[in-house]
Amino acid sequence: MTSCFQTRVLTVDPSAPDPQIIAEAAAVIRARGLVAFPTETVYGLGANALDERAVARIFEAKGRPATDPIIAHIADLRQLDTLAHDVPSVAYALARRFWPGPLTLVVLRRSVVPANLSAGRATVAVRMPGHPVALALIAAAGVPIAAPSANRFSRPSPTTAAHVLDDLAGRIDLVLDGGPAPIGVESSVVDLTADPPVLLRPGGVTVAALLELLPGLTFAPRYLTEDDGAAPAPGMLVRHYAPDAMVIVVAGRREAALVRMRNEALIAAEAGKRVGVLAFDEDVPELVDLPVQLAPLGPATEPGRVAQRLFAALREIEQSGVDLILVRDPGQEGLSLAIRDRLVRAAEGRVIIAEPS
Ligand code: TXA
Ligand code: MG
């Protein structure tokens, strides 16, 4: 599909959005339009979640396969029961603890929810986002808002309005620019229809926090390639976040990993490849003499800041036209698990473990 219309951009105050701008955006949603808006995780591409044709437009604009279901965003806890039936009591406990916030719950879908939203599944994913602009938009629209991340399929998620426009200008009606997304990685997705519940995607709520209310929670990260055939759960394809360049995650102790990254960079540069490194701030002095493009990720000791930078850094380094991107394994502690998940997907599963020399 080629771009066929102008995408409008309206700037909003992220903490106190102008009700008139929100009303305008809500009118676009009700008229079956597409509105990109900030959430606390990443920018979402919103449409009326109860309107099958509006939802279909999301798939078309993103180039997203119809087999990958979309999250319905709500602004009021009562909307959960209008979308889902037989909601387990733990869902309300999770909602009280984590909503509004970066947690998505997969529950049983009511028939008012169009089947295409859920890619034909009997379930629906629901989340109440913790961002004033998102909450105001949903409330003003008066309907739940279907919203995947507002990127083209298999591009890094957008954390600014500029990222949204890079991918979707001319394909959507409106972008609400509320500045950078505060968290920077997507919500944690928990399937409550499985017994025990399954973490389908690590995200803004840590596993440790989830385990307090879901002691039986299981997480088996599987990074599938398209050759593996049908994915057991949607959204598990490693290509999901892949930039154009080849990405390699280098794991192991810091010193060994840095030695390995230097070697890989020098070998690739020798072979005429352009190399980029996503570097933790404290690693920069060890890498700065290399013939590589460096993109700082923030301090390794502050995963919150790394999460904020992650997708922008991936986009920047990709735009610099490199053939190979090296990044050190951030570990799996707290928010780092979500960061690692996105990097391993961007790397299409390529993780090398550096041994001490
Ligand atoms: O933080 C977020 O979740 C952002 C913001 C915009 O809210 N949204 C987001 O949406 O990341 P998306 O579509 O990029 O990712 C949603 C994930 C996908 O992995 C999808 O497969 C999964 O949630 N999902 C959605 N509905 C599901 C369902 N019914 N069952 C299982 N997984 C589902
Ligand atoms: Mg996405």
Side-chain angles (χ1 to χ4, degrees):
M1 197 182 93
T2 51
S3 63
C4 46
F5 54 89
Q6 190 90 34
T7 298
R8 282 198 308 152
V9 181
L10 295 173
T11 302
V12 283
D13 181 336
S15 48
D18 179 345
Q20 222 162 313
I21 293 174
I22 294 297
E24 226 177 291
V28 175
I29 294 281
R30 278 197 304 269
R32 201 168 266 160
L34 299 181
V35 178
F37 60 97
T39 82
E40 81 282 31
T41 57
V42 301
Y43 272 69
L45 177 57
N48 180 350
L50 302 180
D51 181 332
E52 185 178 3
R53 283 165 63 192
V55 171
R57 287 194 61 201
I58 294 179
F59 286 97
E60 190 178 281
K62 272 186 66 99
R64 180 180 178 114
T67 49
D68 197 1
I70 294 174
I71 299 167
H73 294 69
I74 60 175
D76 180 328
L77 191 51
R78 282 168 299 189
Q79 286 175 301
L80 175 59
D81 292 293
T82 68
L83 300 174
H85 66 88
D86 296 299
V87 176
S89 57
V90 73
Y92 301 101
L94 288 161
R96 271 194 302 276
R97 174 82 65 93
F98 297 111
W99 282 359
L103 176 65
T104 295
L105 301 176
V106 175
V107 284
L108 292 171
R109 174 173 65 94
R110 278 191 197 276
S111 55
V112 292
V113 178
N116 65 343
L117 181 94
S118 292
R121 295 174 171 251
T123 58
V124 60
V126 184
R127 142 170 145 85
M128 190 190 292
H131 193 293
V133 173
L135 289 171
L137 178 63
I138 301 161
V143 287
I145 292 185
S149 49
N151 52 312
R152 289 292 290 268
F153 178 66
S154 94
R155 292 268 298 144
S157 288
T159 53
T160 66
H163 295 162
V164 176
L165 290 169
D166 282 346
D167 282 11
L168 297 172
R171 306 174 70 92
I172 64 178
D173 299 287
L174 177 64
V175 181
L176 292 179
D177 183 351
I183 294 179
V185 291
E186 305 91 335
S187 61
S188 307
V189 181
V190 173
D191 185 354
L192 294 178
T193 69
D195 187 18
V198 179
L199 180 64
L200 295 177
R201 177 176 74 183
V205 174
T206 64
V207 170
L210 290 170
L211 283 172
E212 287 176 27
L213 288 172
L214 294 171
L217 184 71
T218 61
F219 175 45
R222 278 199 59 199
Y223 301 108
L224 304 170
T225 63
E226 269 126 323
D227 300 336
D228 290 330
M236 294 185 106
L237 281 179
V238 288
R239 275 200 65 248
H240 202 84
Y241 300 93
D244 295 334
M246 176 193 274
V247 179
I248 298 178
V249 177
V250 183
R253 299 258 318 263
R254 175 172 181 262
E255 293 69 29
L258 286 171
V259 169
R260 184 67 188 266
M261 285 166 78
R262 291 186 65 89
N263 287 342
E264 294 290 335
L266 289 169
I267 290 166
E270 194 80 356
K273 290 197 185 127
R274 299 181 58 190
V275 183
V277 177
L278 294 174
F280 295 115
D281 292 359
E282 49 271 63
D283 293 352
V284 168
E286 323 271 342
L287 303 164
V288 75
D289 61 303
L290 290 170
V292 302
Q293 183 83 32
L294 280 184
L297 269 182
T301 50
E302 291 181 53
R305 285 174 60 189
V306 174
Q308 286 173 340
R309 278 279 304 147
L310 181 67
F311 288 127
L314 266 171
R315 279 175 183 259
E316 276 163 29
I317 202 114
E318 183 184 7
Q319 256 158 31
S320 72
V322 296
D323 309 299
L324 172 68
I325 298 169
L326 297 166
V327 59
R328 190 159 71 77
D329 183 1
Q332 310 197 24
E333 201 45 43
L335 200 51
S336 295
L337 182 67
I339 296 166
R340 182 180 205 278
D341 172 83
R342 307 313 185 260
L343 289 173
V344 171
R345 286 167 192 272
E348 304 187 44
R350 280 179 296 264
V351 179
I352 56 180
I353 300 169
E355 304 289 351
S357 47

